[in-house]
C-alpha cells in the first residue's frame, strides 16, 4: 500500500537502539540490499558524528543518502556527502515567550530540505518558503509524549498551512498502545498517517490518533482514497525509527503491505 511507502528513516544511531556507527551502517546496507519500499533508505546522522561517519564511508565505499540532525552550533562541511534533509532544533529561534520566530530566508545555506523542530504550544509559526516542521512524538520520559490533542493540533496546522513535516521518537509500533514502563500511551505510526489523511479530508485528526481498535484502523487504511493518500504523504514526509524491522513487521502483520513490499 503506497500510503506507507517511503515512510521510515533509519535512526539506528539514536536511542533507545543507539547502535555503534559500524553496526548501524551494516544494518543500513542490509536494508538497502533488501530494498523494502516502506523504508526511505535514508540514514539519519547527528552533525557531531559526521567525522566518524566519513571514516566509515571511506572504508565501506557505498553511496549513502543522508538526513542530518543538527546538534552542533554550526553546520559542518558537507562536501562529498549526499545530504537530502537537515533537521534542526527550534531553540535558536525561540523568543522569551517561548514562541518561534524564523528569519525570512531559509535558516541554513544548504540545498537540502530543512525542518525545524517545534512543539504544538509554539504554533503558529511563520515559515520561510520551503522550510518544514518536525514534531517529537515521544522520548525517554513521560513528559516527552505529546497528548493526542497536541499532536492533532500540530497535524491540523500543517495541513491547513500546507507545511510538510517530519516526526521523530516514540513511534515504535503501528497502533497506539499503553506503555506500562512509562505510564503513557504511545502514538502509533499508522494512527499518525491516518490522522493526516483525516485532516486532509477536513476531519478532526484527534479521534484517529486515539484509536486502539486494530480492525478499525486497518479498515480505514484500506479505504483511504488515492488523492487523499497522495496529499497526506506530501505533507508527512517520513518519521525516524531506531528500528527499521519493526515497522515493516507490524504492517505485514496488519495486512497493510504485501509480502513483496516487506
Amino acid at each position: 500500500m503506497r500510503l506507507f511507502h517511503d515512510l521510515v528513516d533509519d535512526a539506528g544511531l539514536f536511542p533507545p537502539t543507539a547502535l555503534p556507527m559500524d553496526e548501524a551502517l551494516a544494518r543500513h546496507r542490509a536494508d538497502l540490499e533488501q530494498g523494502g519500499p516502506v523504508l526511505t533508505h535514508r540514514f539519519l546522522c547527528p552533525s557531531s558524528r559526521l567525522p566518524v561517519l566519513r571514516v566509515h564511508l571511506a572504508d565501506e565505499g557505498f553511496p549513502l543518502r543522508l538526513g542530518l540532525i543538527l546538534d552542533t552550533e554550526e553546520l559542518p562541511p558537507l562536501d562529498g556527502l549526499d545530504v537530502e534533509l537537515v533537521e534542526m532544533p527550534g531553540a535558536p529561534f525561540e523568543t522569551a515567550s517561548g514562541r518561534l520566530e524564523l528569519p525570512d530566508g531559509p535558516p541554513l545555506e544548504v540545498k537540502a530540505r530543512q525542518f525545524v523542530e517545534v512543539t504544538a504550544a509554539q504554533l503558529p509559526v511563520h515559515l520561510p518558503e520551503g522550510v518544514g516542521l518536525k514534531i517529537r512524538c515521544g522520548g525517554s520520559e513521560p513528559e516527552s509524549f505529546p497528548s493526542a490533542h497536541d499532536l492533532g493540533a500540530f497535524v491540523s496546522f500543517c495541513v491547513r498551512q500546507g507545511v510538510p513535516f517530519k516526526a521523530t521518537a516514540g513511534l515504535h509500533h503501528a497502533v497506539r498502545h499503553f506503555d506500562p514502563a512509562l505510564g503513557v500511551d504511545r502514538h502509533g505510526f499508522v494512527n499518525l498517517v491516518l490522522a493526516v489523511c483525516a485532516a486532509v479530508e477536513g476531519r478532526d485528526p484527534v479521534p484517529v490518533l486515539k484509536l486502539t481498535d486494530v480492525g478499525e484502523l486497518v479498515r480505514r487504511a484500506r479505504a483511504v482514497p488515492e488523492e487523499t493518500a497522495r496529499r497526506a504523504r506530501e505533507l508527512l514526509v517520513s518519521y525516524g525509527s531506531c528500528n527499521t524491522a519493526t515497522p515493516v513487521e507490524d504492517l505485514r502483520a496488519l495486512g497493510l503491505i504485501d509480502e513483496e513490499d516487506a
Side-chain angles (χ1 to χ4, degrees), residues 56-69:
H56 282 274
L57 288 181
D59 295 336
E60 293 283 334
F62 69 94
L64 193 65
R65 298 168 53 205
L66 278 175
L68 191 66
I69 312 301

Side-chain angles (χ1 to χ4, degrees), residues 3 205-206 239:
L3 188 60
V206 175
Y239 79 91

Side-chain angles (χ1 to χ4, degrees), residues 117-230:
E117 184 172 333
V118 298
T119 64
Q122 292 173 313
L123 298 175
V125 57
H126 170 74
L127 292 167
E129 185 177 354
V131 176
L133 292 176
K134 174 182 173 181
I135 187 74
R136 191 165 295 273
C137 296
S140 59
E141 302 294 333
E143 296 77 19
S144 303
F145 291 79
S147 68
H149 287 280
D150 284 346
L151 185 54
F154 173 86
V155 167
S156 294
F157 174 82
C158 290
V159 171
R160 284 197 309 270
Q161 301 298 321
V163 175
F165 72 94
K166 293 189 82 269
T168 189
L171 297 168
H172 291 179
H173 285 285
V175 180
R176 181 180 179 88
H177 61 283
F178 182 70
D179 183 339
L182 290 176
V184 297
D185 289 312
R186 284 186 175 272
H187 297 289
F189 68 82
V190 168
N191 294 77
L192 178 60
V193 172
L194 294 181
V196 181
C197 290
V200 165
E201 293 180 341
R203 294 181 284 112
D204 184 357
V206 175
V208 185
L209 290 168
K210 289 183 174 182
L211 263 180
T212 57
D213 185 325
V214 176
E216 177 62 12
L217 278 172
V218 169
R219 185 193 68 77
R220 293 191 185 200
R222 289 175 174 165
V224 173
E226 183 177 342
E227 180 58 25
T228 297
R230 182 194 65 78

Side-chain angles (χ1 to χ4, degrees), residues 10 13 21 24-32 40-45 49-50 52-54 56-58 60-68 78 80-85:
D10 186 344
L13 293 176
M21 184 67 75
L25 287 171
R27 190 187 75 177
H28 190 73
R29 181 198 280 273
D31 287 340
L32 281 171
T40 66
H41 302 292
R42 185 164 44 225
F43 187 78
L44 302 184
C45 182
R49 298 186 69 178
L50 276 188
V52 177
L53 175 65
R54 286 183 182 276
H56 282 274
L57 288 181
E60 293 283 334
F62 69 94
L64 193 65
R65 298 168 53 205
L66 278 175
L68 191 66
L78 303 180
L81 297 174
D82 182 11
V83 180
E84 294 187 353
L85 54 86

Side-chain angles (χ1 to χ4, degrees), residues 244-258:
T244 54
T246 299
V248 176
E249 292 167 356
D250 279 9
L251 289 170
R252 185 194 296 130
L254 294 173
L256 291 177
I257 57 172
D258 298 327

